[in-house]
Amino acid sequence: MENRQDVSAAEGIKASSRLGTKFFRPTGIFSGLSGKLLLLTVVFVMFAEVLIFVPSVANMRLRWLQNRLSTAAAAAIVIDGLQPVELPRSLQRETLMATGTRAIILRKDGTSRLLAAAEMPSSVDDQYDLADVSMLASIRDALDTILFGGDRIIRVFGPVGDGTTGVEVVLKDTNLRDALLLYSRNVFLMSLLLSFVTATLIFFAINRIMIRPIRRLTDSMQAYSDDPEDPSRVLVPDRGRDELSVAGRHLASMQVQLQKTLKQQKNLAALGLAVSKINHDMRNILASAQLMSDRLVDVDDPMVKRFAPKLLRTIDRAVGYTTEVLSYGQASESAPRRRRVHLRDLTEEVRDILAIDPDTGIEFIEQVSPDLEVDADSEQLFRVIHNLCRNALQALMTYRETEPDSTLRITVSARRIGSVVSITVDDTGPGMPQKARENLFTAFRGSARSGGTGLGLAIARELVLAHGGTIALVEKPAAGTQFRIEIPDRPVSLDDYRSRTILER
């Protein structure tokens, strides 16, 4: 069952990665990042040009009116110099035509004098004082002229130079509106050209700096998703320091890690199939051994009577392990059945199960008080301590071959600190290799010896965490390996406390 789940998990990774390839190919000019960037650049530049255009067209209008007023002022000074001779009507019309006005009035010494006029209108639509114009008013008047002007009579007046003399003109705003529309058209065309040139330059720059690397990443994802197990599909990242280069290196690392995961899934599937076959036959063998070992109880031999119960418990554990051997890493790991357990009894049973040969010179020391109790599942805690001690024994056996004169010792100690029981398993072996430290408590990667699976530490950690405790490798100044397990007591519920108090009374 489990090996099928592993295979389906590996296939699921491949299938999900293949499904993702449908979303990497944009269609249309503006569907990809390049087209969107080009369009947004044009829009933003045009928006910026609009913000620039509004005050610029207002300034253009003021300059146009100022030029008309300056031309009329020059003509007014000449006409005023001809006093008391009155300018002929024909010359007045030519002057008005040259200045583009309908009337020219000179303000001097507090009086106003009409110098030239032709077809004077009965009223004017708007009047403007160029000596006192705010920016907002200028913008408002410019937009008003562009939108609604063209056939209105306006009156414009302002000073001549720095003196007190002023000039006033009356004119039609048709030419002014035409000039503003021409200016607006030229600004729009220049803005459009500028936006496209800017967008094109930005497009090619961003396309080279960003779009190409991003497209390279997406192409690598597509190629990798087609065959995640092919090492040649792994992205070769750039050596740059920018964000996309960093993303490329992370993607390559993730692809390599995913390949290792897929390979591990295959190995787990094969291992699950092999273990399930072995487990089936092993259960039958252990069942037969259990039936035969039951008869040992009737044998009247002190040695047999002493070891028969331990043998029976060991076989019972083996039968239980074969039943749950495939449950590692699954949610089916049984919850701890916690009760008060004498820890010394567990450590003695671990010592008997290890059956250390005295000729090896390996000592097994128990520093556990006989009355120390731990709130735990006795079977699960036995597995934890047994796994750690067995690993220590295997390390010492290997170390004994290379260092025969070394002190070989396994020490199991424990003490209670408040509501927490701290258990330490210490050995005087060669210590934990660096590779095993980096993958500590990781199945199939955290083994400290060649050919090991690392399942012992992984299972121990899972069982300790199920008790709400912790397990950690402790750094020690001397050689060897030391693990510390901390198991907290279960919190007493308020109902249990009240029931216990009532019974004590």
Side-chain angles (χ1 to χ4, degrees), residues 55-117:
S56 65
V57 74
N59 290 331
M60 186 270 174
R61 171 183 170 277
L62 290 177
R63 288 196 303 271
W64 191 91
L65 293 176
Q66 191 66 48
N67 290 336
R68 287 290 184 274
L69 201 62
S70 298
T71 304
I77 293 174
V78 173
I79 296 173
D80 184 59
L82 297 176
Q83 293 182 9
V85 179
E86 185 177 353
L87 196 67
R89 297 292 298 177
S90 59
L91 191 56
Q92 289 185 24
R93 284 194 297 271
E94 292 179 1
T95 302
L96 295 173
M97 187 179 299
T99 57
T101 60
R102 292 195 173 191
I104 301 176
I105 302 170
L106 180 63
R107 295 180 177 182
K108 187 176 181 182
D109 300 331
T111 61
S112 298
R113 178 186 174 197
L114 182 61
L115 300 180

Side-chain angles (χ1 to χ4, degrees), residues 452-493:
T453 62
L455 277 173
L457 290 178
I459 293 174
R461 179 177 180 272
E462 183 177 356
L463 296 177
V464 171
L465 291 180
H467 284 76
T470 60
I471 179 172
L473 177 67
V474 180
E475 297 293 338
K476 51 184 291 188
T481 304
Q482 182 179 116
F483 282 94
R484 178 178 296 140
I485 306 166
E486 294 181 344
I487 305 290
D489 294 342
R490 287 172 296 173
V492 179
S493 66

